């Protein structure tokens, strides 16, 4: 099973994990605003396979679906590390941008493609969803 590691910019927060279950690029407004660019890339990992050292600060907000999304970031440098979604307990969504080896991440889908800004390039080879796909659609892609 492949392993991965990552950190914030100042390295006050580091993490390690086992295999990713899947993941993709999200173009929702919240991901754009929290990333400072056109989208966020998230690697889905089982929470029990994820180990973090250091302290995070969390910002909670409602997703379009009404689910609570908790975004964890370093309180020192502000780097986004991971998020959790109340609709998927036991999973963490690791920001691919925080990986030590970014090539570990293999995106499998694009969500909120309808919200993509005109200057963002979307990989036409990946399945696209105009909004958030159902849990069943996500599970099928991760299988």
């Amino acid at each position: 099973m492949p392993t991965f590691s990552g950190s914030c910019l100042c390295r006050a927060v580091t993490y390690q994990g086992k295999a990713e279950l899947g993941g993709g690029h999200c173009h929702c407004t919240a991901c754009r605003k929290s990333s400072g660019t056109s989208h966020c890339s998230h690697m889905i990992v089982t929470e029990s396979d994820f180990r973090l050292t250091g302290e995070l600060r969390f910002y909670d907000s409602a997703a379009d679906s009404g689910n609570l999304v908790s975004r964890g970031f370093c309180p020192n440098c502000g780097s986004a590390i991971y998020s959790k979604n109340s609709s998927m307990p036991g999973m963490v969504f690791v920001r691919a941008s925080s990986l030590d080896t970014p090539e570990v991440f293999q995106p499998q889908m694009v969500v909120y493609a309808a919200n993509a800004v005109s200057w963002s390039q979307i990989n036409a080879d990946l399945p696209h969803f105009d909004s958030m796909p159902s849990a069943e659609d996500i599970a099928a892609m991760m299988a």
Side-chain angles (χ1 to χ4, degrees), residues 3 23 58 100:
T3 61
F58 285 86
D100 290 335

Side-chain angles (χ1 to χ4, degrees), residues 6-138:
S7 70
C8 64
L9 182 59
C10 70
R11 298 206 46 87
V13 176
T14 61
Y15 64 81
Q16 295 181 329
K18 291 187 182 174
E20 72 174 292
L21 299 175
H25 307 301
C26 181
H27 291 268
C28 77
T29 302
C31 280
R32 285 198 320 262
K33 287 185 179 269
S34 69
S35 71
T37 189
S38 68
H39 67 279
C40 285
S41 298
H42 297 103
M43 187 168 71
I44 305 170
V45 178
T46 305
E47 190 169 16
S48 61
D49 289 334
F50 184 74
R51 300 283 181 261
L52 182 114
T53 58
E55 297 295 322
L56 293 181
R57 175 176 279 166
F58 285 86
Y59 176 74
D60 298 339
S61 63
D64 292 348
S65 62
N67 295 316
L68 181 68
V69 176
S70 298
R71 291 175 178 83
F73 58 94
C74 174
N76 186 50
C77 68
S79 297
I81 301 296
Y82 75 87
S83 59
K84 294 174 78 173
N85 188 311
S86 64
S87 72
M88 298 183 80
M91 301 292 165
V92 295
F93 300 84
V94 177
R95 285 283 182 97
S97 57
S98 70
L99 289 164
D100 290 335
T101 307
E103 297 303 319
V104 169
F105 174 62
Q106 297 297 312
Q108 296 172 309
M109 68 185 103
V110 176
V111 299
Y112 286 97
N115 290 19
V117 295
S118 63
W119 43 266
S120 182
Q121 298 206 5
I122 295 178
N123 184 340
D125 295 333
L126 295 176
H128 295 72
F129 298 90
D130 282 344
S131 60
M132 182 58 75
S134 69
E136 293 80 24
D137 285 338
I138 293 173

